[in-house]
Structures are given as structure tokens and as C-alpha cells.
Amino acid sequence: MYSETEDVIRALAENAESVCRAYLPAGRREGSYWIVGDLQNNPGRSLFVRLTGLASGPGAAGKFTDGATGEHGDLLDIIRERTGISRFPDLLAEARAHLGRPQPVLPDAPMPKKAKTPGGTPAAAARLFAASMPVAGTLADTYLRARGLTQGGEMSALRFHPKCWHRDEGQTQSIPRPALIAAVTDGAGALQGVHRTWLAPDGQGKAAVETQRRAMGHLLGNAVRLIPHDDILVVGEGIETMLSLVEAVPDLPVWAALSSGHLGAVLLPERLQRLYIAIDRDPAGRSAAERLSARALDAGIVVRVLEPRLGDFNDDLRTSGKDALRQHLAGQIGPEDRHRLSG
């Protein structure tokens, strides 16, 4: 049976390089792939779009994967992220226009509505954050406490949205789901994006969906500033990882960069004296720490790496408790900052 959606997706895949040049112009072709930093079109080498391959299934042309965030999808997803179009009929119309196909003629079609601000912009991220509520007492609080994290309700950078739209690859309609919302801000404190973690209906874990996390807006160089920095800063990848350090050492200023790719690119504040990099125990985390360390040392900042016993610091917290985590950190924090361990 003929499906226009499948036909459009197939046509986009056949013209994958053209789509990438139009919607991800900061990237470039390397062999059979288009390589760019992320879905926000930042320069880099994290996101790979396959330009050639099978018509469907694994290895199909038009499929993308972001090595830093784990996001994946097809060219229609890329067009949606880059234009902010949320209604699927409008998304198909955008794809048809790129392919040079005529739009279907609908009898007695109503006058088109005024175009909305694109959904992937900082302005759209600000609207989502403003529409969210404080974490305390919500399903987001339940989710965090289930991971041993009790301080989320006090963080102004974290909020909860009961009906945040979600769509997995292959779905044609978005579904509202509860979500933990995190503000991504720049050095001036301006909101540049948000990070969404979709939650299970009871808040006891993440939603049972393929894509459980997704960011929007401008992430590169920015971070979720959970606790403002002073003369020192602790920066790592995940929100849960950094909140785990707060549980053990509440006096630490902590930021979450959200991924290993973004950790290596965080813009460090002026007049910072000491930087602690909280890594995840994997090759990507170590590589990101090396990149960030090199930039910090060039700026005259003292650098120390904080390493968990297990996969990440939230694993350590949930396995051994905050007292054991504090003792583990005591051996890695510099002598000039050990007074914070009893703060």
C-alpha cells in the first residue's frame, strides 16, 4: 500500500547530502557520511549522517547518530529539529518543498496560520522552561529521590513539566509525557537551551521510550549551572552525576555539561582558580576531560580530575551512600578545598 510519508522519507534519503547541506550547513561530507557537531548545527564531529546505504533497516541512507548524546533518527527528524516544526503535516510540507515536490491541493483549505517561532531556538527553550514548575513535590522530585538525590527541589536550574511533548523515531505523532527540565545557560546567565528527561508515569524512573533524553537550543560551550561557581568549579556530564556530588559535598559549586562532547567544550568562567572535572568511567569521559584540562591549564587554572569507583558518581552514591562518597572524594580534592567536605 502506498504511503506518502514513506515515499517522502525514501526521497529524502536519496537526496541525503542535499538535505544535510540545507539543514546542517556547518558540517561537511567525509566519505559516506555528513559530519557535524550536533542537531543544533554547531561545528564538530559528534553527529554522523549516513549518505549512502540500504533503503531501510540498519545501515540505511539518511539515518543519523550523535555519538555524544546517543540521539538517532532520520532526515525528517533533522528537518524537524532544525526548523522547529512540530505538526507532522507541516513537517511533510517542508520536506516536499525541499524536494521540489508540489503541495497537495486541499479543497476549501483554511487560511494558513502565522508561523510559530522555531522550536529548537533559545526562545522556544525559554518558553518551555517558563511553562514548567519547580521540582519540589513533583514527579521529577520523585525521580531524583529514587536515585538518592534529595537536593533537586532547591535547584533553580531544574524544573518539571507534566506534559512535555515526546516523539520517538518512526512515530508520526508526539505524545505528552512528564519530564525533568534543566536550564542550559551561558556565562551571562542567559538561558540558551533546555535539556529534557522524560519520566515514567509514577516518577520511579525514566519513561519506557527509545529516546529518554533530548536537548534543544544552543548547548555548545554552555552548561546546566546547578550551583554557581566561586573561585573553584566542579564540572561533569550528567545532571544526576553532578547532583550526586552535591549530596556528598553540598558546598561544591557544580555544573552539568550533559554529555562528554559538551564537557570538553564548556567555556570556563573568568578568574577561576581551580577546576575539578568529574568524569564518567568510560573512554569518552576521559577524552573529554583531557580536552577540557588542556584548555584550563593554558588559562593558568589548576586542574584535578575526580574519578568514581563505579561507572559514575550516581552509581557510587546509590551503592555506597553519601558518607562513603564523601570519603572517596576526600582523597581527590586538593588540600585548599578540603574544608568544603564538612560544609
Side-chain angles (χ1 to χ4, degrees):
M1 181 180 296
Y2 173 77
S3 166
E4 187 199 7
T5 299
E6 293 179 0
D7 186 45
V8 168
I9 292 174
R10 188 181 305 110
L12 290 172
E14 292 171 354
N15 296 273
E17 184 171 351
S18 169
V19 175
C20 290
R21 289 189 181 280
Y23 295 96
L24 296 172
R28 64 179 181 178
R29 178 167 187 158
E30 292 189 17
S32 299
Y33 294 90
W34 187 266
I35 301 177
V36 70
D38 52 34
L39 284 175
Q40 285 72 49
N41 192 41
N42 290 306
R45 300 180 57 81
S46 176
L47 189 142
F48 294 76
V49 185
R50 184 180 289 275
L51 301 179
T52 61
L54 303 173
S56 62
K63 300 290 186 181
F64 77 84
T65 299
D66 189 325
T69 66
E71 291 182 88
H72 54 87
D74 57 28
L75 293 169
L76 208 55
D77 293 313
I78 289 175
I79 294 175
R80 175 176 55 80
E81 289 292 334
R82 295 297 301 134
T83 61
I85 295 172
S86 58
R87 293 186 66 253
F88 193 72
D90 297 337
L91 185 61
L92 278 183
E94 172 73 15
R96 289 191 208 98
H98 176 80
L99 294 168
R101 293 186 172 190
Q103 301 295 335
V105 178
L106 301 177
D108 300 323
M111 292 296 291
K113 295 181 180 179
K114 183 179 179 180
K116 295 182 179 179
T117 303
T121 64
R127 289 198 302 273
L128 176 59
F129 194 73
S132 303
M133 63 185 70
V135 164
T138 68
L139 285 178
D141 202 3
T142 301
Y143 164 74
L144 293 173
R145 289 178 181 276
R147 298 180 70 102
L149 306 170
T150 64
Q151 305 300 311
E154 301 178 9
M155 304 289 175
S156 61
L158 300 180
R159 305 200 78 176
F160 170 69
H161 197 297
K163 295 182 178 181
C164 183
W165 292 105
H166 175 276
R167 184 174 74 87
D168 262 335
E169 180 185 358
Q171 292 181 336
T172 59
Q173 291 184 337
S174 296
I175 298 173
R177 301 182 186 277
L180 172 67
I181 310 295
V184 179
T185 53
D186 61 19
L191 192 144
Q192 296 294 332
V194 295
H195 183 269
R196 296 155 289 178
T197 302
W198 281 280
L199 308 176
D202 62 359
Q204 291 297 320
K206 299 184 187 72
V209 292
E210 186 174 352
T211 303
Q212 297 175 320
R213 304 173 185 264
R214 184 172 285 144
M216 63 188 294
H218 299 161
L219 272 63
L220 196 66
N222 302 316
V224 179
R225 289 162 166 81
L226 295 167
I227 299 180
H229 75 281
D230 43 47
D231 59 337
I232 76 165
L233 172 65
V234 186
V235 62
E237 295 183 35
I239 294 168
E240 296 90 342
T241 293
M242 302 315 293
L243 286 175
S244 298
L245 295 181
V246 175
E247 288 292 323
V249 190
D251 199 30
L252 286 179
V254 299
W255 295 0
L258 300 177
S259 71
S260 58
H262 290 104
L263 174 60
V266 166
L267 296 179
L268 298 174
E270 295 181 2
R271 296 182 291 278
L272 186 67
Q273 297 179 21
R274 297 180 299 283
L275 173 69
Y276 292 91
I277 305 175
I279 67 169
D280 290 355
R281 192 183 281 275
D282 56 36
R286 296 182 189 279
S287 177
E290 290 174 0
R291 295 195 304 274
L292 184 56
S293 294
R295 290 198 293 111
L297 292 171
D298 286 345
I301 300 170
V302 175
V303 179
R304 292 178 181 268
V305 174
L306 304 179
E307 187 168 348
R309 286 193 175 98
L310 303 175
D312 60 42
F313 284 107
N314 191 240
D315 290 339
D316 285 6
L317 175 68
R318 289 189 290 168
T319 300
S320 303
K322 64 182 181 182
D323 291 338
L325 177 54
R326 185 184 302 114
Q327 292 175 7
H328 177 64
L329 291 169
Q332 303 183 60
I333 290 178
E336 61 271 56
D337 296 312
R338 284 179 189 155
H339 65 280
R340 296 174 183 264
L341 292 169
S342 58

